[in-house]
Amino acid sequence: MKRLLRVREEAKNFATNENILYNSVVKNIVYSDTAVNITLANGTTILADYAICTFSIGVLQHNDVKFIPTFPSWKREAIFAIKMVTYTKNFLKFPRKFWKNTQFFLYADSYRRGYYPQWQSLSEIGFLPRSNILFVTVVTDESYVVEAQSNNQTLSQIMTVLKSMFGNDIPDPDNFYYYRWNQDPLYRGSYSNWPTGTSECQFANAQRSIGRLYFAGEAYSQKYFGFVHGAYMEGLRV
Ligand SMILES: Cc1cc2nc3c(=O)[nH]c(=O)nc-3n(C[C@H](O)[C@H](O)[C@H](O)COP(=O)(O)OP(=O)(O)OC[C@H]3O[C@@H](n4cnc5c(N)ncnc54)[C@H](O)[C@@H]3O)c2cc1C
């Protein structure tokens, strides 16, 4: 909690409207040992002495941003060694609560691993009591499935699973929502995961700056990749 307050306090000094360009998508980054030149999608160019790139590894693995010159092979090898994970929370708001007072429950499908397995209720004390909101999380392969299919298809699958647990008398939700993180060109997934067998050298190469272009974000934290505090600590490192 203390650290969170400190982060907010620090951010007050520089995270001001004057210092942040909102709704600005970076298209090209030309970097060298002396400067970094950034071009936005609207054609604006920004010349900087230094730059810190915090795009997700998923963004770096796609051609959404053009880096000039292209990254050396040791950098590309490290970037592609990292796996981008997708984590999809499917939110349902019901007219009434039909599950018991619990924060979590699990579903184990007989045939399909990872098929709507983890359920969480937000309608509990400390969250959003009486909201009647449930969410079910799917990850990576099952996330790609729900991202590729329509909301109606996903809702129909979720309701079939819920009815198998609570019976056919449960109501339909009034609202249903999920975000397609993998399809968003500003994210290309939710967060990174370093697979088993990743070497110290790959971590070091992923972190390593090239010229005046530096890299920070959750993916470069050897200890806390995937987490907000990993991103924060990498910011401190850089
Ligand atoms: C559904 C979900 C649940 C999560 N739950 C947790 C949790 O419980 N606990 C936890 O610690 N972490 C959680 N995380 C992970 C956490 O959100 C990330 O680890 C954290 O946001 C990483 O911060 P970052 O600054 O490295 O990257 P990001 O937050 O991805 O920031 C990168 C920024 O770069 C911007 N960007 C990308 N491309 C461009 C471009 N071309 N031009 C301009 N801007 C661009 C993006 O818009 C984004 O704002 C969760 C993530 C998701 C998606």
Side-chain angles (χ1 to χ4, degrees):
M1 190 49 142
K2 264 189 189 160
R3 174 163 277 174
L4 183 66
L5 291 175
R6 205 174 72 217
V7 172
R8 284 195 179 147
E9 212 43 48
E10 282 171 12
K12 264 191 210 157
N13 296 325
F14 62 86
T16 58
N17 284 345
E18 294 76 47
N19 287 344
I20 298 176
L21 285 179
Y22 292 102
N23 302 315
S24 305
V25 176
V26 173
K27 277 290 159 202
N28 288 336
I29 299 181
V30 182
Y31 60 93
S32 70
D33 288 336
T34 51
V36 181
N37 200 338
I38 295 158
T39 307
L40 305 182
N42 65 10
T44 306
T45 57
I46 300 163
L47 183 61
D49 290 336
Y50 294 88
I52 304 172
C53 172
T54 66
F55 304 150
S56 76
I57 282 294
V59 168
L60 296 183
Q61 288 173 346
H62 287 72
N63 289 323
D64 301 313
V65 182
K66 192 169 181 193
F67 290 88
I68 303 162
T70 49
F71 290 152
S73 57
W74 56 264
K75 188 72 169 177
R76 287 203 304 274
E77 192 276 331
I79 287 170
F80 281 91
I82 309 172
K83 190 157 170 35
M84 199 67 188
V85 177
T86 302
Y87 186 90
T88 312
K89 293 177 174 182
N90 301 272
F91 294 90
L92 304 111
K93 182 168 170 53
F94 288 96
R96 65 179 166 85
K97 186 175 171 185
F98 52 85
W99 58 97
K100 65 179 186 178
N101 296 333
T102 178
Q103 285 179 23
F104 282 95
F105 52 92
L106 298 172
Y107 169 76
D109 192 78
S110 311
Y111 302 104
R112 198 156 140 186
R113 187 166 180 251
Y115 190 70
Y116 304 111
Q118 188 191 313
W119 295 79
Q120 285 168 265
S121 170
L122 290 182
S123 204
E124 310 305 319
I125 293 165
F127 295 93
L128 300 167
R130 292 179 296 284
S131 65
N132 305 330
I133 297 174
L134 261 187
F135 71 92
V136 56
T137 302
V138 291
V139 296
T140 306
D141 288 348
E142 289 296 335
S143 290
Y144 302 150
V145 173
V146 300
E147 286 204 13
Q149 66 194 14
S150 70
N151 282 24
N152 281 345
Q153 276 175 298
T154 304
L155 180 57
S156 157
Q157 291 174 341
I158 288 175
M159 289 308 291
T160 303
V161 169
L162 270 179
K163 283 176 182 172
S164 76
M165 289 191 280
F166 294 96
N168 286 333
D169 288 340
I170 62 171
D172 285 330
D174 297 326
N175 275 302
F176 173 57
Y177 175 82
Y178 62 98
Y179 194 71
R180 290 173 167 81
W181 292 101
N182 191 54
Q183 289 178 14
D184 186 332
L186 296 178
Y187 293 89
R188 301 288 188 189
S190 303
Y191 48 81
S192 73
N193 184 34
W194 283 89
T196 309
T198 306
S199 67
E200 294 280 341
C201 176
Q202 284 170 319
F203 255 111
N205 284 346
Q207 282 184 338
R208 211 163 114 196
S209 56
I210 320 178
R212 289 199 167 184
L213 182 62
Y214 286 74
F215 297 85
E218 56 80 18
Y220 309 99
S221 168
Q222 193 163 1
K223 214 167 170 189
Y224 302 115
F225 57 79
F227 292 102
V228 169
H229 46 289
Y232 172 72
M233 290 169 92
E234 281 304 293
L236 293 182
R237 174 186 63 82
V238 172

